[in-house]
Amino acid sequence: MIKLSSHQERIVKAPLSEAIQVLASAGSGKTRVLTERVRFILENTKKEGVIALTFTNKAAEEMQNRLSDYDETVDRAWVATIHSVAERILRQYGHTIGLPRELHIYERDKDRMEVFIQSLRDDWVNMDEYLNIDDEGKKNRERILREHMNTFSIIKRELLTEEDVEGRFPSEPSFWEIFQDYQNALLDSGGIDYDDILVYAHRLLLNHDWIADIYRAKYKHLCVDEAQDLNLLQYEFIKALCGDSITSVMMVGDPDQMIYGFNGSSSDYLCKHFVRDFSATRYELKENYRSSRQVINAANKLKPGSQEERKFALKGRVYVKSLSDEAEEANWIVSSIKKLIDLGRHEEIEGDISLDHMVVIARNRFVFSSLQKALDENSIPSFLRKTERMPEPVSLFGKILDYGIRVKLNPRDWVDGKKLCGLLGLTPPEKWRDEDILKDWSRKVLASDIPLAGLYSHLLLDIHQLDSHEPNINKFKRSFDKKLTVLAKSKIDYTPEIERSMEELEEFHKNWTGFKKKGLGVSLQSFRNALALGQLAEEELTDGRLTLSTVHTMKGLEKDIVFVMAMCEGVFPDYRAKLGKEMDEERNNAFVAVTRARRWLYITYPEKRTMPWGKEQKQAESRFIGEIKGDSLCGRGKARRPKKRLQAVQ
């Protein structure tokens, strides 16, 4: 076991018969505690397994790597996200509740919307009358449809019944019927959406004890990371998985870092429901092993008493700076980065100071436009951290490959089938159940006059001929490498498209290799589902580039030097935060941003911003800056204009 503090060791070695609630503040070593608890369980039981639920796939991989030195980890420890666990349960037993054996997941929001819209068209339903859209609303039809999609997700995440829906939406008495039509449209097209993964898995465990008992017999222990961000559906899934027999449950989280309220998350499931339902024993970890004293002090201004500094913590630094506008703010950040790199070394930073040591954090990604421009002008390489969802292909080859595999696996998938027809100039069939449809389209494309028709004809045919259960992707890749190389050397007019096609073929093969390496399955359907669940997204390599990140994509990560930019009222906190609970979550966002810093923290904001409609508008410094500086007026939202010079917060 690695060295633990006395508080950490007490948690790791707590009795295996009891449920444990661990309130672990930022930098307190919660990942270490969680990992070592799993190791302790494996070492102190003979055959009992443990499920460790993480918030992201990357966190799951990190925990697996930390446990890789223990021989029995693979057989006895199941480390995965909650959706990944639920998806495997559905893949094995979903057919018992009428789900397709080859489960197709519509992970893209626009696909969910298209399924719904097309189902209305097929039934000759007047969409505007059905959705109660008046003449004024027709201008905003797409927005209204998106709102319906969001409401469908709320119904699922909050496990609302027909009666609940009628009570919550009294002005729309037919909303439950609309929701049921959406669900039926998904199933008719052979698929489910992302929220359904947990909905159906929860229903299966709740209503089929014999299935739940299969998992309970093997896995006697459960550990949950980032439990402050659980929503009702996730919490109820965990309860259904445990039943009455699994009592060894550890939930680790920090209520001060609950920042996913927009997904229905609430720290109440960790702090109240878990304690009540499992009679959990409470433990706390407050000592920050990550950050310098100045950063801890700033964090405690936002969340009093949340952090305890280590005896040997470095002093660190926190700076607050106001700039005249967004351009000056961006230029100041760039100038500061250059000066830090020129500094070379500092006793508080390990090794040479480089871009790898830094991150610029903003409340939302739209803030970065001015900074990105300044970085480009100064030849400073950067990248924006993204979510684990895979980007959509750009080349026609990549799109045909993506949509073609989806249609091969699910011939009822008219959503992607119609997209494919649109790309190739084909007439969609009247019915979507023909398993030879790609073979038929291959012949039709070959006879068409679209550019590179021969290439795309071969691509459709080869996708059709892939063995769904054990596809030879290496052979598939070699074949098209040759075809694309020949085309590239022929000096035709489509060289950029061919180059992008080769890149996306390489990316496809790389994902397949990663899928096999991680032992996630061997079939084409398992591969597709792994992509949908974000299990194949690799850690972005900085390669000497500056990291740009929103607060949410920086969760769980840290850097020596952190810049938090555009920290003004209306941006950070967000302008939509009105009520107490919403503002509390904005404070959590600020707390998360500040505690990403190990050593030095720089906070900036522009005194003027250009609005989307082109008008310049004065800005007030964020109330959180006022609190960090000890300005009580700012804490009440009344901004005080800061001094122009660089100000160190003592």
Side-chain angles (χ1 to χ4, degrees):
M1 181 185 290
I2 60 176
K3 186 173 178 59
L4 300 168
S5 72
S6 58
H7 293 296
Q8 292 171 336
E9 187 171 3
R10 185 164 156 255
I11 296 168
V12 168
K13 294 184 177 181
L16 296 180
S17 58
E18 68 180 31
I20 302 172
Q21 176 208 51
V22 182
L23 302 182
S25 192
S28 62
K30 71 175 181 63
T31 303
R32 174 183 295 183
V33 168
L34 194 68
T35 304
E36 293 309 307
R37 176 66 173 179
V38 172
R39 189 191 303 276
F40 180 77
I41 292 169
L42 296 177
E43 290 177 346
N44 288 273
T45 60
K46 290 185 177 181
K47 296 182 179 180
E48 296 175 3
V50 55
I51 298 176
L53 298 177
T54 61
F55 195 71
T56 65
N57 291 293
K58 289 184 175 67
E61 290 178 16
E62 180 184 347
M63 186 179 294
Q64 288 168 339
N65 289 336
R66 293 190 184 195
L67 291 167
S68 61
D69 60 334
Y70 191 78
D71 293 338
E72 296 183 33
T73 297
V74 174
D75 295 327
R76 294 173 57 202
W78 185 3
V79 185
T81 67
I82 193 168
H83 279 86
S84 297
V85 169
E87 187 271 338
R88 189 192 295 184
I89 292 173
L90 286 186
R91 197 187 332 145
Q92 293 176 316
Y93 300 105
H95 63 277
T96 62
I97 55 174
L99 292 178
R101 287 186 177 271
E102 297 294 336
L103 200 60
H104 184 84
I105 301 169
Y106 288 109
E107 76 273 25
R108 297 169 179 166
D109 289 340
K110 63 181 182 182
D111 291 347
R112 296 171 57 220
M113 191 182 299
E114 183 59 32
V115 168
F116 182 51
I117 292 171
Q118 191 60 45
S119 70
L120 299 181
R121 290 175 182 153
D122 290 346
D123 291 337
W124 298 95
V125 172
N126 184 306
M127 190 186 310
D128 294 332
E129 289 181 7
Y130 180 70
L131 299 177
N132 197 25
I133 299 175
D134 56 22
D135 290 339
E136 185 64 28
K138 290 178 182 178
K139 302 174 185 176
N140 302 304
R141 185 183 289 117
E142 186 174 341
R143 176 183 59 78
I144 293 171
L145 284 166
R146 282 200 304 270
E147 289 173 355
H148 275 68
M149 294 297 110
N150 291 335
T151 305
F152 294 160
S153 290
I154 290 171
I155 291 173
K156 296 177 186 185
R157 292 169 188 164
E158 297 186 17
L159 295 171
L160 300 182
T161 63
E162 181 176 359
E163 186 178 351
D164 295 332
V165 171
E166 289 175 356
R168 186 174 291 196
F169 308 104
S171 62
E172 299 186 63
S174 61
F175 202 88
W176 181 258
E177 180 184 339
I178 295 173
F179 171 65
Q180 292 299 320
D181 286 346
Y182 167 70
Q183 288 298 99
N184 291 333
L186 286 172
L187 292 174
D188 286 345
S189 65
I192 61 174
D193 67 21
Y194 196 73
D195 292 313
D196 281 331
I197 297 171
L198 279 176
V199 169
Y200 287 120
H202 170 254
R203 186 180 304 170
L204 191 151
L205 293 174
L206 209 58
N207 298 331
H208 295 76
D209 282 340
W210 67 272
I211 295 174
D213 287 341
I214 291 172
Y215 293 95
R216 295 169 190 156
K218 180 174 182 179
Y219 300 102
K220 302 290 187 182
H221 310 269
L222 182 68
C223 297
V224 184
D225 192 15
E226 303 284 6
Q228 78 280 347
D229 285 315
L230 291 172
N231 60 34
L232 177 61
L233 175 58
Q234 293 166 338
Y235 180 70
E236 290 297 332
F237 170 80
I238 289 169
K239 282 178 60 181
L241 184 60
C242 293
D244 295 327
S245 56
I246 298 181
T247 57
S248 174
V249 182
M250 180 170 81
M251 286 198 182
V252 183
D254 180 9
D256 291 337
Q257 296 187 66
M258 199 290 290
I259 61 174
Y260 285 88
F262 56 88
N263 280 337
S265 301
S266 171
S267 57
D268 284 350
Y269 299 111
L270 166 66
C271 297
K272 296 179 182 179
H273 299 278
F274 175 55
V275 175
R276 179 196 66 201
D277 296 335
F278 289 83
S279 301
T281 302
R282 178 177 176 178
Y283 295 85
E284 283 191 280
L285 292 173
K286 284 190 172 183
E287 193 172 16
N288 188 319
Y289 296 92
R290 173 198 300 161
S291 302
S292 61
R293 295 200 301 273
Q294 289 278 32
V295 172
I296 292 172
N297 181 52
N300 278 330
K301 293 289 182 63
L302 293 170
K303 295 280 186 175
S306 63
Q307 305 264 284
E308 293 177 4
E309 67 179 51
R310 283 186 306 122
K311 182 179 180 181
F312 301 106
L314 299 170
K315 180 181 179 182
R317 59 176 75 162
V318 176
Y319 286 95
V320 176
K321 178 73 173 177
S322 69
L323 290 308
S324 63
D325 56 28
E326 294 158 295
E328 186 179 338
E329 179 186 32
N331 289 332
W332 186 86
I333 292 173
V334 168
S335 175
S336 299
I337 289 170
K338 285 182 171 181
K339 289 176 182 177
L340 289 169
I341 292 174
D342 289 342
L343 180 63
R345 282 185 168 271
H346 191 280
E347 59 185 10
E348 292 190 337
I349 306 294
E350 185 177 345
D352 294 331
I353 297 175
S354 67
L355 295 177
D356 291 330
H357 289 92
M358 306 179 199
V359 63
V360 182
I361 298 176
R363 179 62 181 83
N364 64 67
R365 60 187 172 87
F366 304 107
V367 166
F368 290 122
S369 56
S370 295
L371 177 61
Q372 190 64 71
K373 180 180 177 183
L375 291 169
D376 292 343
E377 289 173 350
N378 287 270
S379 301
I380 296 177
S382 65
F383 77 100
L384 178 65
R385 282 193 61 85
K386 300 175 183 176
T387 64
E388 293 183 335
R389 295 288 180 90
M390 302 299 288
E392 293 188 39
V394 175
S395 70
L396 183 54
F397 180 94
K399 291 178 180 178
I400 294 171
L401 178 57
D402 181 24
Y403 299 150
I405 287 177
R406 291 169 185 255
V407 172
K408 173 184 174 60
L409 293 171
N410 178 20
R412 289 190 288 169
D413 178 13
W414 49 261
V415 175
D416 294 300
K418 286 189 174 183
K419 291 178 184 177
L420 195 48
C421 287
L423 291 173
L424 299 172
L426 301 174
T427 302
E430 293 183 4
K431 295 183 179 180
W432 292 88
R433 292 180 182 273
D434 184 1
E435 295 185 357
D436 291 328
I437 196 167
L438 294 180
K439 184 178 179 181
D440 180 50
W441 287 346
S442 173
R443 290 193 298 267
K444 291 179 178 178
V445 167
L446 191 59
S448 73
D449 57 358
I450 66 169
L452 306 178
L455 173 68
Y456 302 139
S457 174
H458 278 294
L459 180 55
L460 290 168
L461 184 60
D462 282 20
I463 294 172
H464 167 74
Q465 292 174 343
L466 282 173
D467 181 346
S468 296
H469 300 293
E470 290 189 54
N472 190 336
I473 299 299
N474 291 331
K475 179 181 177 182
F476 178 89
K477 198 250 184 182
R478 287 195 301 270
S479 172
F480 282 97
D481 267 340
K482 292 178 181 177
K483 290 179 175 66
L484 289 167
T485 301
V486 170
L487 287 171
K489 291 179 178 179
S490 65
K491 298 182 180 180
I492 58 176
D493 295 334
Y494 305 102
T495 302
E497 173 70 13
I498 292 169
E499 288 177 355
R500 187 60 178 152
S501 298
M502 295 177 80
E503 291 170 357
E504 293 191 332
L505 175 63
E506 184 65 37
E507 186 69 21
F508 171 77
H509 183 256
K510 182 179 177 183
N511 285 330
W512 173 262
T513 303
F515 165 75
K516 295 293 293 291
K517 185 177 179 181
K518 292 177 180 180
L520 297 172
V522 296
S523 72
L524 206 54
Q525 185 66 66
S526 296
F527 174 60
R528 268 293 325 141
N529 289 350
L531 286 169
L533 291 167
Q535 293 174 325
L536 304 184
E538 293 188 355
E539 181 64 47
E540 294 153 317
L541 300 176
T542 59
D543 291 330
R545 294 180 292 168
L546 175 70
T547 302
L548 309 180
S549 176
T550 65
V551 179
H552 290 86
T553 54
M554 196 63 191
K555 183 80 176 288
L557 303 173
E558 59 201 50
K559 290 283 186 180
D560 287 331
I561 303 167
V562 171
F563 292 84
V564 182
M565 67 179 297
M567 207 166 190
C568 46
E569 288 291 310
V571 177
F572 205 158
D574 188 272
Y575 70 95
R576 291 165 294 188
K578 305 293 183 185
L579 303 176
K581 184 179 288 188
E582 294 169 341
M583 192 54 71
D584 287 345
E585 188 164 331
E586 287 302 300
R587 181 179 303 282
N588 291 351
N589 275 296
F591 179 80
V592 169
V594 165
T595 54
R596 298 313 92 195
R598 293 194 194 106
R599 301 291 180 263
W600 302 342
L601 173 66
Y602 298 83
I603 301 173
T604 63
Y605 87 94
E607 295 177 341
K608 293 193 299 286
R609 289 179 61 236
T610 302
M611 298 293 101
W613 53 90
K615 183 180 178 181
E616 270 196 344
Q617 202 167 83
K618 288 185 178 180
Q619 302 293 300
E621 72 176 19
S622 169
R623 66 193 69 194
F624 303 135
I625 289 180
E627 293 175 13
I628 289 171
K629 294 182 343 187
D631 184 344
S632 60
L633 288 176
C634 286
R636 294 197 299 269
K638 298 179 180 179
R640 177 183 298 171
R641 185 175 297 277
K643 297 179 181 179
K644 282 284 186 181
R645 63 179 176 80
L646 188 66
Q647 180 180 0
V649 179
Q650 302 298 330

